[in-house]
Amino acid sequence: FFTEGCPHCKNYSAVFHDPKVVERAGKLVMVRVDKDKNRELSAKFAPDGEYIPRTYFLSSDGTLDADIHAPRERYRYFYDEKDPSSVLAGMDAALKKLR
């Protein structure tokens, strides 16, 4: 989830241009959702708040896997906005667990 004009979202979007992230993304279904334009969906996927940006890994039936998250206590689905290794770890965990 992101919003237009969010500086953290803009920084985070650059992480997805990293070659390793691009390669892993090819093995996942990636969806980018504007929180402002999809308020109901944003509220549905907000286990620890509707902050942005936030990234979730869902099973094929759309169930959020709460065990796959960024390495932090608060804002668990807010991966490092400048270092691709954070989201890469989440992608790797999802690929192992959610197949």
Side-chain angles (χ1 to χ4, degrees), residues 12-66:
Y12 188 48
S13 68
V15 167
F16 290 90
H17 295 280
D18 179 273
K20 290 180 183 177
V21 175
V22 170
E23 185 271 327
R24 302 278 196 320
K27 298 175 183 178
L28 299 164
V29 175
M30 306 288 291
V31 179
R32 188 170 185 241
V33 180
D34 186 323
K35 175 184 178 276
D36 291 337
K37 294 178 182 174
N38 298 277
R39 293 183 187 278
E40 190 173 308
L41 187 60
S42 178
K44 178 180 177 182
F45 289 99
D48 63 344
E50 285 193 79
Y51 54 87
I52 51 166
R54 60 190 197 277
T55 300
Y56 301 114
F57 293 95
L58 310 174
S59 66
S60 60
D61 69 358
T63 303
L64 171 68
D65 189 318

